[in-house]
Amino acid sequence: MDRSAEIREFLRTRRARITPEQAGLAPHPGARRVPGLRREEVAQLAGVSVDYYVRLERGRTQNVSETVLDAVALALQLDETERAHLFDLAQPTAARTRSKRPLSPQRVRPVLYRALDALAVPAMVLGRRMDILAANRLGSAVFTDLQARPHRDRNFARYVFLDEAAHSLYTDWEKAAGDCVATLRLYTGRHSDDPQLTELIGELSLHSDAFRRMWADHDVLAHTTGTKHLHHPLVGDLTLDYVALSVEGDPDQTLIVLTPEPASPSAEALGILASWTGTPTIRPHAPEETHTPAS
């Protein structure tokens, strides 16, 4: 993916959402042609020259310092996730000195499989590009039989945007889809040169108008905790709280665990679903990442 274009659009969309009043600037007389801050206003707030900021927004980040990126992040009122994304995209001098290595295949450790088997609640392991590397039987059952899908289709973004079952499952599909895109966009900042990512984005853009619209927003999101509201075709409404845990030894693997409120209707429904399914933990055919590019 074009890193310069990513920086340009990310900075443009961030400054478009902030008014001069929100930034503490005096209102500019006359009509404004574009929403949000002008480039010169961002430069003023960040304490850099207009030419320097324009070069940065055009993706010309050679020799950019962390101090300047911090100042721009502050001027644009970026949150911690957005700030980290800006640093990933701009690659400050210190970061560029580290040589890049090709991405190695992802492996789910046996102890993590045992942990999935032991959990009495839905759980799954997501890898790069939101690939579904593993899921326990309830995780598969909640998200409408993940194990029955071809290995290539075991990707959460593909599921959300290209599978009609996801539209029926999520009571607020638009929010779920937006969160999915923002998570995928965050990954893009770290691995923009991942060829399988480029393939995935191209496929989703080709087949989903909603994905193209959301992708253009350049929002980023790091999932830690939250709540999913689902309407399962077999057991009805489910309200499940989730926590996302990093897997030690692989920063691109995340363990997602979903739990209902104790003694709630969702807990009862989940118990019924568990009694109906005997689906084992999903495992790849080989101890490597489950997603492979299309031939």
Side-chain angles (χ1 to χ4, degrees):
M1 302 185 72
D2 186 342
R3 189 178 291 273
S4 294
E6 290 291 310
I7 296 171
R8 179 177 65 250
E9 291 304 308
F10 179 67
L11 291 176
R12 182 189 63 79
T13 55
R14 296 315 91 178
R15 64 180 172 83
R17 68 183 183 178
I18 304 174
T19 65
E21 293 79 7
Q22 289 172 326
L25 298 173
H28 195 278
R32 300 175 71 90
R33 290 187 305 151
V34 294
L37 296 176
R38 295 187 173 99
R39 292 186 181 93
E40 57 266 29
E41 291 169 332
V42 177
Q44 175 188 341
L45 291 166
V48 299
S49 70
V50 176
D51 286 344
Y52 190 99
Y53 178 75
V54 169
R55 290 198 301 272
L56 178 62
E57 191 167 303
R58 287 175 178 171
R60 295 163 60 184
T61 60
Q62 294 85 352
N63 300 316
V64 65
S65 69
E66 295 188 3
T67 301
V68 167
L69 290 178
D70 272 327
V72 170
L74 184 62
L76 293 175
Q77 301 178 15
L78 304 186
D79 61 26
E80 285 301 313
T81 301
E82 292 170 324
R83 177 187 175 278
H85 185 59
L86 174 62
F87 271 68
D88 285 336
L89 291 174
Q91 293 184 298
T93 303
R96 282 201 303 270
T97 59
R98 297 191 295 268
S99 59
K100 285 191 173 182
R101 299 178 179 177
L103 295 175
S104 59
Q106 288 186 288
R107 293 170 171 81
V108 178
R109 295 180 177 179
V111 66
L112 195 50
Y113 282 125
R114 292 197 298 271
L116 288 173
D117 285 334
L119 289 171
V121 292
M124 64 179 63
V125 179
L126 296 184
R128 303 185 188 116
R129 305 166 295 273
M130 303 189 77
D131 291 343
I132 302 169
L133 301 181
N136 65 6
R137 63 186 182 90
L138 261 182
S140 176
V142 165
F143 293 98
T144 56
D145 202 6
L146 292 174
Q147 192 180 32
R149 303 173 191 277
H151 272 252
R152 182 182 179 279
D153 292 342
R154 292 180 192 173
N155 174 279
F156 214 77
R158 279 193 178 94
Y159 168 68
V160 169
F161 283 96
L162 303 183
D163 194 322
E164 285 300 321
H167 289 259
S168 302
L169 180 65
Y170 286 99
T171 58
D172 187 351
W173 181 88
E174 190 80 9
K175 181 182 184 306
D179 289 350
C180 180
V181 170
T183 301
L184 196 60
R185 176 68 79 177
L186 188 65
Y187 173 83
T188 303
R190 296 194 297 266
H191 298 297
S192 62
D193 52 354
D194 179 351
Q196 292 187 42
L197 171 67
T198 301
E199 178 198 0
L200 176 64
I201 299 306
E203 178 186 356
L204 296 177
S205 298
L206 179 64
H207 296 292
S208 173
D209 293 339
F211 179 84
R212 288 197 301 274
R213 168 173 54 83
M214 295 177 183
W215 190 249
D217 291 337
H218 283 260
D219 291 335
V220 291
L221 177 68
H223 278 297
T224 52
T225 60
T227 302
K228 293 186 181 295
H229 299 282
L230 311 174
H231 183 77
H232 196 274
L234 295 179
V235 295
D237 291 337
L238 293 170
T239 299
L240 302 175
D241 297 322
Y242 71 85
V243 59
L245 305 172
S246 297
V247 176
E248 185 177 358
D250 187 343
D252 290 328
Q253 280 191 42
T254 305
L255 172 63
I256 310 292
V257 181
L258 301 102
T259 59
E261 189 73 23
S264 66
S266 292
E268 182 179 353
L270 205 59
I272 294 172
L273 185 61
S275 69
W276 287 349
T277 178
T279 308
T281 298
I282 293 178
R283 301 173 186 267
H285 292 318
E288 297 178 349
E289 56 184 333
T290 58
H291 172 73
T292 55
S295 58

